[in-house]
Amino acid sequence: MSDLFSHGPGGTETGQETAQTGRSAPRPLADRLRPAHLSEVIGQDHLLGPDGPLGTMLAGGQLGSLILWGPPGVGKTTIARLLADETDLSFVQISAIFSGVPELRKVFDAAKARRTNGRGTLLFVDEIHRFNKAQQDSFLPHMEDGTIVLVGATTENPSFELNAAVMSRAQVLVLERLDDAALERLALRAEEEIGHPLPLTDEARAQLLAMSDGDGRALLNMIEQVAGWRVDAPLDATKLSARLTRRAAQYDKSGEYHYNLISALHKSVRGSDPDAALYWLARMLKGGEDPRYLARRITRMAVEDIGLADPQAQAFCLGAWETYERLGSPEGELALGQAIVYLALAPKSNAGYAAFKAAMRLAGESGSEPPPKIIRNAPTKMMRDQGYGQGYAYDHDAEDAFSGQNYFPDGMERPGFYDPVDRGFERDLAKRMDYFGKLRAKRQGESG
């Protein structure tokens, strides 16, 4: 892989001097290591390689509007700036947090004037998902007539946050978090820049990379802190943790990470993997997820994926939920963890869930078909005269307490919704289904 924050030409100084000191203004390490060419960007070869979408665009001399979607610190701003350099476009950067309609009008007017003079504009919009629908729509005519090439950056799922009209006019490119190999190369570049190795043991160095959580900018900021420490011997992992705060894990209780992690938790339970399920539960709790939301979703898993294969699963989850309500956090979270383990190891069946969905589907298709008169109540004389309840066989009076009557609407072919699996308690239910099915056929044959 190539490097995200590599050396650019001209050394490490900007050449800009302060009026007070006459010396170069200080620049953060992350800024000093910002790539000067796209070939120096690390971790995004799937986009920038010869066969990647950006590599292909640049080789063909055509750059279309883009949405760069990825986590923080993986090079979205840098790539946008370098794309402008590669295509000889004027680079204009705005942030959706600080910009409104007046600022957008000025940007568009300047781009039109620039275009009149024969130069195009790459408009980089950071946090583009923060613009509302009307603001996003304002980009459309300028994208269509070529006044701007829009490059938007977002950490949120564009399909949730961006207008369909913008999405249809821009290609979405997914940037990946930096893996350990990429982070290590970035750390080596940083050590080359600062002129000495970091005062860390191998274990502490690995921990430093993990603490960045795939964020190159966060890693360089931490390296800059570590490089300034005066120590007599390399620090171990324990001493590093005492001096440096771990970067908070990326999590949004209403966004992409929320939905991805709850999906991972649910599918780990369904896949009977208690260790993976506990991991995703812990990730969500560490991210600040409401344990009550998790208790509700865990109970849903019992209903949807375990069902009648283990009728106690639902009660177990409700008990864990009640335990959390009584104990609160963090003690009550252990009950949720135990419920997750129980569900992951329980026999699985969605037969009841599938049966319910099938019944709902048929109920919608069959409209207002009335029950057969034989099983309607007849509280009035008129209803008795209409034949309501006539011929009804009270099952407790029948042999085996089973009459075998038809309970579906007259004329409807008997459907089969519930198909129990051969696992857990549903083995017994399958035997009962078979028993009553044969007995029903016998009773209806006798009455016919």
mmCIF file of all heavy atoms in Angstrom, residues 136-162:
data_model
loop_
_atom_site.group_PDB
_atom_site.id
_atom_site.type_symbol
_atom_site.label_atom_id
_atom_site.label_comp_id
_atom_site.label_asym_id
_atom_site.label_seq_id
_atom_site.Cartn_x
_atom_site.Cartn_y
_atom_site.Cartn_z
ATOM 1 N N GLN A 136 -29.281 20.890 -0.560
ATOM 2 C CA GLN A 136 -28.720 19.883 -1.465
ATOM 3 C C GLN A 136 -29.239 20.074 -2.886
ATOM 4 O O GLN A 136 -28.491 19.938 -3.860
ATOM 5 C CB GLN A 136 -29.065 18.476 -0.969
ATOM 6 C CG GLN A 136 -28.350 18.082 0.317
ATOM 7 C CD GLN A 136 -28.680 16.668 0.744
ATOM 8 O OE1 GLN A 136 -28.901 15.782 -0.077
ATOM 9 N NE2 GLN A 136 -28.723 16.426 2.042
ATOM 10 N N ASP A 137 -30.517 20.421 -3.021
ATOM 11 C CA ASP A 137 -31.095 20.633 -4.354
ATOM 12 C C ASP A 137 -30.432 21.802 -5.078
ATOM 13 O O ASP A 137 -30.411 21.839 -6.316
ATOM 14 C CB ASP A 137 -32.599 20.895 -4.238
ATOM 15 C CG ASP A 137 -33.395 19.625 -3.968
ATOM 16 O OD1 ASP A 137 -32.842 18.531 -4.160
ATOM 17 O OD2 ASP A 137 -34.563 19.739 -3.545
ATOM 18 N N SER A 138 -29.892 22.768 -4.322
ATOM 19 C CA SER A 138 -29.286 23.938 -4.964
ATOM 20 C C SER A 138 -28.038 23.578 -5.759
ATOM 21 O O SER A 138 -27.617 24.331 -6.644
ATOM 22 C CB SER A 138 -28.947 24.998 -3.907
ATOM 23 O OG SER A 138 -27.890 24.574 -3.071
ATOM 24 N N PHE A 139 -27.438 22.427 -5.466
ATOM 25 C CA PHE A 139 -26.254 22.007 -6.223
ATOM 26 C C PHE A 139 -26.613 21.520 -7.622
ATOM 27 O O PHE A 139 -25.780 21.574 -8.536
ATOM 28 C CB PHE A 139 -25.529 20.871 -5.490
ATOM 29 C CG PHE A 139 -24.880 21.282 -4.198
ATOM 30 C CD1 PHE A 139 -25.432 20.913 -2.992
ATOM 31 C CD2 PHE A 139 -23.720 22.033 -4.204
ATOM 32 C CE1 PHE A 139 -24.840 21.285 -1.803
ATOM 33 C CE2 PHE A 139 -23.116 22.411 -3.025
ATOM 34 C CZ PHE A 139 -23.676 22.031 -1.810
ATOM 35 N N LEU A 140 -27.841 21.012 -7.793
ATOM 36 C CA LEU A 140 -28.174 20.249 -8.995
ATOM 37 C C LEU A 140 -27.946 20.988 -10.303
ATOM 38 O O LEU A 140 -27.285 20.468 -11.201
ATOM 39 C CB LEU A 140 -29.613 19.737 -8.896
ATOM 40 C CG LEU A 140 -29.915 18.830 -7.706
ATOM 41 C CD1 LEU A 140 -31.385 18.432 -7.700
ATOM 42 C CD2 LEU A 140 -29.030 17.589 -7.743
ATOM 43 N N PRO A 141 -28.486 22.214 -10.491
ATOM 44 C CA PRO A 141 -28.289 22.865 -11.802
ATOM 45 C C PRO A 141 -26.830 23.157 -12.104
ATOM 46 O O PRO A 141 -26.409 23.115 -13.262
ATOM 47 C CB PRO A 141 -29.108 24.158 -11.673
ATOM 48 C CG PRO A 141 -29.284 24.381 -10.207
ATOM 49 C CD PRO A 141 -29.325 23.032 -9.594
ATOM 50 N N HIS A 142 -26.034 23.416 -11.082
ATOM 51 C CA HIS A 142 -24.615 23.738 -11.297
ATOM 52 C C HIS A 142 -23.799 22.484 -11.564
ATOM 53 O O HIS A 142 -22.772 22.547 -12.250
ATOM 54 C CB HIS A 142 -24.079 24.494 -10.076
ATOM 55 C CG HIS A 142 -24.908 25.678 -9.696
ATOM 56 N ND1 HIS A 142 -24.979 26.807 -10.488
ATOM 57 C CD2 HIS A 142 -25.733 25.897 -8.634
ATOM 58 C CE1 HIS A 142 -25.804 27.691 -9.920
ATOM 59 N NE2 HIS A 142 -26.275 27.145 -8.806
ATOM 60 N N MET A 143 -24.255 21.344 -11.050
ATOM 61 C CA MET A 143 -23.621 20.075 -11.394
ATOM 62 C C MET A 143 -23.954 19.708 -12.836
ATOM 63 O O MET A 143 -23.093 19.229 -13.586
ATOM 64 C CB MET A 143 -24.098 18.966 -10.449
ATOM 65 C CG MET A 143 -23.689 19.139 -9.003
ATOM 66 S SD MET A 143 -24.576 18.009 -7.886
ATOM 67 C CE MET A 143 -23.958 16.405 -8.424
ATOM 68 N N GLU A 144 -25.217 19.922 -13.221
ATOM 69 C CA GLU A 144 -25.673 19.508 -14.554
ATOM 70 C C GLU A 144 -25.047 20.338 -15.672
ATOM 71 O O GLU A 144 -24.750 19.801 -16.746
ATOM 72 C CB GLU A 144 -27.194 19.603 -14.619
ATOM 73 C CG GLU A 144 -27.897 18.550 -13.752
ATOM 74 C CD GLU A 144 -29.398 18.762 -13.695
ATOM 75 O OE1 GLU A 144 -29.853 19.847 -14.115
ATOM 76 O OE2 GLU A 144 -30.108 17.861 -13.222
ATOM 77 N N ASP A 145 -24.847 21.652 -15.450
ATOM 78 C CA ASP A 145 -24.297 22.475 -16.540
ATOM 79 C C ASP A 145 -22.776 22.561 -16.496
ATOM 80 O O ASP A 145 -22.163 23.268 -17.296
ATOM 81 C CB ASP A 145 -24.917 23.880 -16.537
ATOM 82 C CG ASP A 145 -24.530 24.718 -15.326
ATOM 83 O OD1 ASP A 145 -23.619 24.320 -14.563
ATOM 84 O OD2 ASP A 145 -25.139 25.791 -15.120
ATOM 85 N N GLY A 146 -22.147 21.847 -15.541
ATOM 86 C CA GLY A 146 -20.693 21.791 -15.503
ATOM 87 C C GLY A 146 -20.025 22.941 -14.795
ATOM 88 O O GLY A 146 -18.795 23.066 -14.844
ATOM 89 N N THR A 147 -20.818 23.784 -14.120
ATOM 90 C CA THR A 147 -20.211 24.898 -13.389
ATOM 91 C C THR A 147 -19.303 24.388 -12.279
ATOM 92 O O THR A 147 -18.233 24.951 -12.023
ATOM 93 C CB THR A 147 -21.305 25.801 -12.783
ATOM 94 O OG1 THR A 147 -22.116 26.328 -13.851
ATOM 95 C CG2 THR A 147 -20.696 26.950 -11.990
ATOM 96 N N ILE A 148 -19.714 23.317 -11.627
ATOM 97 C CA ILE A 148 -18.907 22.735 -10.556
ATOM 98 C C ILE A 148 -18.799 21.223 -10.755
ATOM 99 O O ILE A 148 -19.682 20.599 -11.351
ATOM 100 C CB ILE A 148 -19.494 23.008 -9.153
ATOM 101 C CG1 ILE A 148 -20.875 22.365 -9.019
ATOM 102 C CG2 ILE A 148 -19.518 24.489 -8.833
ATOM 103 C CD1 ILE A 148 -21.436 22.346 -7.598
ATOM 104 N N VAL A 149 -17.703 20.678 -10.274
ATOM 105 C CA VAL A 149 -17.598 19.248 -10.017
ATOM 106 C C VAL A 149 -17.733 19.105 -8.505
ATOM 107 O O VAL A 149 -16.890 19.603 -7.753
ATOM 108 C CB VAL A 149 -16.256 18.674 -10.499
ATOM 109 C CG1 VAL A 149 -16.118 17.224 -10.059
ATOM 110 C CG2 VAL A 149 -16.143 18.786 -12.005
ATOM 111 N N LEU A 150 -18.815 18.507 -8.066
ATOM 112 C CA LEU A 150 -19.074 18.384 -6.634
ATOM 113 C C LEU A 150 -18.358 17.156 -6.078
ATOM 114 O O LEU A 150 -18.485 16.049 -6.608
ATOM 115 C CB LEU A 150 -20.577 18.262 -6.372
ATOM 116 C CG LEU A 150 -20.979 17.998 -4.913
ATOM 117 C CD1 LEU A 150 -20.680 19.212 -4.046
ATOM 118 C CD2 LEU A 150 -22.452 17.631 -4.820
ATOM 119 N N VAL A 151 -17.622 17.354 -5.006
ATOM 120 C CA VAL A 151 -17.049 16.248 -4.245
ATOM 121 C C VAL A 151 -17.500 16.442 -2.797
ATOM 122 O O VAL A 151 -17.051 17.366 -2.122
ATOM 123 C CB VAL A 151 -15.508 16.198 -4.332
ATOM 124 C CG1 VAL A 151 -14.977 15.050 -3.476
ATOM 125 C CG2 VAL A 151 -15.068 16.046 -5.777
ATOM 126 N N GLY A 152 -18.419 15.610 -2.377
ATOM 127 C CA GLY A 152 -18.928 15.695 -1.017
ATOM 128 C C GLY A 152 -18.296 14.635 -0.141
ATOM 129 O O GLY A 152 -18.004 13.531 -0.598
ATOM 130 N N ALA A 153 -18.080 14.964 1.126
ATOM 131 C CA ALA A 153 -17.518 14.009 2.083
ATOM 132 C C ALA A 153 -18.520 13.790 3.202
ATOM 133 O O ALA A 153 -19.139 14.744 3.695
ATOM 134 C CB ALA A 153 -16.199 14.532 2.656
ATOM 135 N N THR A 154 -18.675 12.534 3.595
ATOM 136 C CA THR A 154 -19.619 12.224 4.660
ATOM 137 C C THR A 154 -19.173 10.972 5.411
ATOM 138 O O THR A 154 -18.588 10.070 4.819
ATOM 139 C CB THR A 154 -21.047 12.018 4.099
ATOM 140 O OG1 THR A 154 -21.940 11.684 5.169
ATOM 141 C CG2 THR A 154 -21.090 10.930 3.052
ATOM 142 N N THR A 155 -19.447 10.971 6.700
ATOM 143 C CA THR A 155 -19.239 9.763 7.502
ATOM 144 C C THR A 155 -20.533 8.977 7.648
ATOM 145 O O THR A 155 -20.530 7.891 8.238
ATOM 146 C CB THR A 155 -18.724 10.140 8.907
ATOM 147 O OG1 THR A 155 -19.659 11.041 9.528
ATOM 148 C CG2 THR A 155 -17.365 10.820 8.825
ATOM 149 N N GLU A 156 -21.632 9.513 7.140
ATOM 150 C CA GLU A 156 -22.943 8.870 7.252
ATOM 151 C C GLU A 156 -23.312 8.173 5.947
ATOM 152 O O GLU A 156 -22.864 8.567 4.872
ATOM 153 C CB GLU A 156 -24.020 9.900 7.603
ATOM 154 C CG GLU A 156 -23.754 10.675 8.887
ATOM 155 C CD GLU A 156 -23.794 9.794 10.109
ATOM 156 O OE1 GLU A 156 -24.566 8.810 10.104
ATOM 157 O OE2 GLU A 156 -23.055 10.072 11.069
ATOM 158 N N ASN A 157 -24.151 7.170 6.044
ATOM 159 C CA ASN A 157 -24.590 6.429 4.870
ATOM 160 C C ASN A 157 -25.327 7.360 3.913
ATOM 161 O O ASN A 157 -26.387 7.889 4.254
ATOM 162 C CB ASN A 157 -25.517 5.289 5.300
ATOM 163 C CG ASN A 157 -25.830 4.335 4.172
ATOM 164 O OD1 ASN A 157 -25.934 4.744 3.022
ATOM 165 N ND2 ASN A 157 -25.999 3.072 4.486
ATOM 166 N N PRO A 158 -24.797 7.600 2.711
ATOM 167 C CA PRO A 158 -25.439 8.538 1.787
ATOM 168 C C PRO A 158 -26.867 8.145 1.434
ATOM 169 O O PRO A 158 -27.708 9.014 1.186
ATOM 170 C CB PRO A 158 -24.530 8.509 0.555
ATOM 171 C CG PRO A 158 -23.225 8.013 1.051
ATOM 172 C CD PRO A 158 -23.549 7.053 2.152
ATOM 173 N N SER A 159 -27.149 6.845 1.394
ATOM 174 C CA SER A 159 -28.497 6.421 1.014
ATOM 175 C C SER A 159 -29.526 6.848 2.049
ATOM 176 O O SER A 159 -30.715 6.941 1.734
ATOM 177 C CB SER A 159 -28.546 4.904 0.822
ATOM 178 O OG SER A 159 -28.195 4.233 2.013
ATOM 179 N N PHE A 160 -29.082 7.121 3.286
ATOM 180 C CA PHE A 160 -29.993 7.623 4.306
ATOM 181 C C PHE A 160 -30.061 9.145 4.324
ATOM 182 O O PHE A 160 -31.073 9.726 4.667
ATOM 183 C CB PHE A 160 -29.545 7.150 5.699
ATOM 184 C CG PHE A 160 -29.639 5.669 5.918
ATOM 185 C CD1 PHE A 160 -28.854 5.051 6.869
ATOM 186 C CD2 PHE A 160 -30.493 4.883 5.166
ATOM 187 C CE1 PHE A 160 -28.927 3.678 7.086
ATOM 188 C CE2 PHE A 160 -30.582 3.518 5.358
ATOM 189 C CZ PHE A 160 -29.797 2.913 6.323
ATOM 190 N N GLU A 161 -28.935 9.789 4.010
ATOM 191 C CA GLU A 161 -28.789 11.210 4.309
ATOM 192 C C GLU A 161 -28.848 12.140 3.103
ATOM 193 O O GLU A 161 -29.069 13.333 3.266
ATOM 194 C CB GLU A 161 -27.452 11.451 5.034
ATOM 195 C CG GLU A 161 -27.269 10.622 6.299
ATOM 196 C CD GLU A 161 -28.229 11.002 7.403
ATOM 197 O OE1 GLU A 161 -28.787 12.100 7.334
ATOM 198 O OE2 GLU A 161 -28.441 10.187 8.324
ATOM 199 N N LEU A 162 -28.622 11.638 1.884
ATOM 200 C CA LEU A 162 -28.552 12.515 0.719
ATOM 201 C C LEU A 162 -29.768 12.332 -0.180
ATOM 202 O O LEU A 162 -30.320 11.236 -0.282
ATOM 203 C CB LEU A 162 -27.275 12.250 -0.078
ATOM 204 C CG LEU A 162 -25.951 12.502 0.653
ATOM 205 C CD1 LEU A 162 -24.785 12.330 -0.301
ATOM 206 C CD2 LEU A 162 -25.928 13.876 1.289
#
